[in-house]
Amino acid sequence: MNATDTSVGQSLRAEFETIFGYQPLDCFRAPGRVNLIGEHTDYNDGFVLPIAIDRAVHVAIGRRPGSRADANGSGTAAPPAQEKSIRIVSDHRDDRGQRLAGQFIAEDLVPGVLPAWLNHPAGVVDEIAKTTGTVVGGIDLYIESTVPVGAGLSSSHALEVAVLIALDAVYGLDLDDREKVLLTQRAENNFVGAPTGIVDQAASIMTEAGHALFLDCRDLRARQIPFSLDAEGLRLLVIDTRVSHSHSESGYGDRRRTCEEAAGLLGAQSLRELDETVDLGPLTEVQRKRARHVFSENARVTSTVELLEGEGREGCSIRGIGELLLASHDSLAHDYEVSCVELDAAVSAAMSAGALGARMIGGGFGGSAIALVDTENVEMIAEAVVAEFSDRGFRAPDIFAVGPGPGADRVD
């Protein structure tokens, strides 16, 4: 644990005590993620290669004094509502400048009733009860986040993971990494109502610092892949277009259904069972395009891993993955059709200014792009992207560098 983590932990504890009037039990962090390559492959049982980034959701958790809920989530018969509720306060603020805050009771949870942001921790609480039988109550949570909301960096999944690992520790659930990944996915799918895959949760939970996570989404087999930007004089820029998106309200679900239908027509459970040699004749043009992206994207992931793991061999390095990143964007824009004019502009401007590779990330329809750049070119490329957005009348983007940070953990 470094000095920065200790400072964050002290600040969290102090703010928690100011808000709730007592000391928290512990503090935890869960990072956002950048998926280097492997977009829209996770729910097709394919390959992904994310990194956990050095921006995270932090949670301080406490058990309210006087609450009769014990460490196993049980208590005396019919405790008062205030003893059963989960109270949550965030450092984010609404349009009136008020902190986002809310509370709910585990037994009363119903999808679609709570404010949108509160559905994410509520979904975790609901899924804990269904999966483990543990009913959470008498708990307070204070949340701080440095993961931009709506930028495609998985802020909502980081929130879910942070809440889960905090509750796992306090209630002694003893969940392993695989169980945590699947539990948060079910919370997202069943309670939040977003048909997402598992890449975001897995990246936040399983990735080691200084590495990318090569994940097979069919069985969650994972391998840590060295990813040292500093060693090669590189930076990974995130270009947040500030065009918001929502998985549950966008075409994300349509893409998933189309892939499932295409696999069925080709006699497979998922597109992972097939490759580009399969006859796509039975499919519609749209289904063919979606399948084509999945096949080619899985191949790009494995090629990227080969380049990263083969460091030292001719042509094998982080620098060598730039063309694969750009090919991924072209496929997402034309075959999967999840890009937008702002994302295309970000990629084009970055490449024209000297980026080694660039692509959109996340579900699409907004959010962010990434650009792999030489350290000495960071400012020049950022200025070129900002100028392009200004010339086209777009909202000014937010541009910042991220590195491969550690996965979710306790904070001292």
Side-chain angles (χ1 to χ4, degrees), residues 301-322:
V301 174
T302 57
S303 295
T304 301
V305 170
E306 290 172 2
L307 287 171
L308 296 178
E309 286 193 317
E311 189 172 356
R313 298 200 305 267
E314 185 177 355
C316 291
S317 68
I318 296 176
R319 291 179 176 275
I321 72 174

Side-chain angles (χ1 to χ4, degrees), residues 219-237:
D219 55 17
L220 289 188
R221 285 185 299 171
R223 191 161 83 240
Q224 304 292 332
I225 308 298
F227 189 72
S228 177
L229 293 164
D230 289 340
E232 297 194 36
L234 298 173
R235 290 290 180 269
L236 191 66
L237 291 184

Side-chain angles (χ1 to χ4, degrees), residues 64-291:
R64 275 199 298 283
S67 170
R68 285 176 282 180
D70 62 25
N72 293 316
S74 60
T76 58
Q82 66 269 22
E83 295 183 8
K84 298 171 63 178
S85 67
I86 297 97
R87 300 187 301 187
I88 302 178
V89 176
S90 170
D91 66 332
H92 285 205
R93 297 178 182 272
D94 61 22
D95 295 339
R96 299 171 298 168
Q98 301 297 312
R99 287 184 186 271
L100 294 181
Q103 66 178 19
F104 52 83
I105 296 173
E107 295 97 327
D108 297 341
L109 286 173
V110 177
V113 174
L114 296 172
W117 74 273
L118 205 55
N119 278 317
H120 297 284
V124 170
V125 168
D126 187 61
E127 195 58 42
I128 285 174
K130 292 176 179 175
T131 300
T132 71
T134 299
V135 179
V136 176
I139 291 290
D140 293 322
L141 297 165
Y142 170 62
I143 297 166
E144 291 184 355
S145 178
T146 57
V147 185
V149 175
L153 302 182
S154 195
S155 59
S156 59
H157 289 99
L159 173 58
E160 291 163 5
V161 170
V163 170
L164 175 60
I165 64 172
L167 293 174
D168 178 69
V170 169
Y171 281 83
L173 303 177
D174 199 28
L175 300 171
D176 62 28
D177 284 352
R178 178 188 177 89
E179 290 169 330
K180 290 173 184 174
V181 169
L182 294 174
L183 190 152
T184 48
Q185 183 192 22
R186 290 193 299 272
E188 184 79 5
N189 293 171
N190 300 333
F191 194 91
V192 178
T196 56
I198 59 174
V199 59
D200 300 338
Q201 302 94 326
S204 188
I205 291 168
M206 300 170 71
T207 310
E208 296 177 3
H211 292 77
L213 184 75
F214 180 34
L215 181 69
D216 184 337
C217 297
R218 181 163 58 186
D219 55 17
L220 289 188
R221 285 185 299 171
R223 191 161 83 240
Q224 304 292 332
I225 308 298
F227 189 72
S228 177
L229 293 164
D230 289 340
E232 297 194 36
L234 298 173
R235 290 290 180 269
L236 191 66
L237 291 184
V238 171
I239 305 167
D240 179 3
T241 66
R242 301 172 75 187
V243 176
S244 63
H245 70 293
S246 171
H247 285 157
S248 57
E249 297 174 2
S250 70
Y252 184 101
D254 291 338
R255 300 305 188 280
R256 181 166 186 164
R257 283 187 294 273
T258 299
C259 288
E260 291 168 350
E261 291 165 357
L265 289 170
L266 297 173
Q269 291 295 314
S270 73
L271 291 176
R272 165 64 180 282
E273 300 173 24
L274 309 167
D275 60 29
E276 65 276 2
T277 63
V278 70
D279 178 13
L280 301 181
L283 306 183
T284 66
E285 177 58 26
V286 170
Q287 290 169 337
R288 281 195 290 272
K289 292 169 69 174
R290 306 300 184 250

Side-chain angles (χ1 to χ4, degrees), residues 344-395:
D344 291 343
V347 169
S348 176
M351 293 301 298
S352 295
L356 302 175
R359 75 176 193 89
M360 60 151 284
I361 59 171
F365 313 103
S368 297
I370 55 171
L372 183 66
V373 306
D374 286 294
T375 300
E376 62 267 24
N377 292 338
V378 166
E379 186 173 344
M380 177 181 67
I381 290 172
E383 288 176 352
V385 174
V386 169
E388 178 69 13
F389 272 50
S390 177
D391 289 346
R392 299 183 63 170
F394 298 157
R395 187 179 181 186

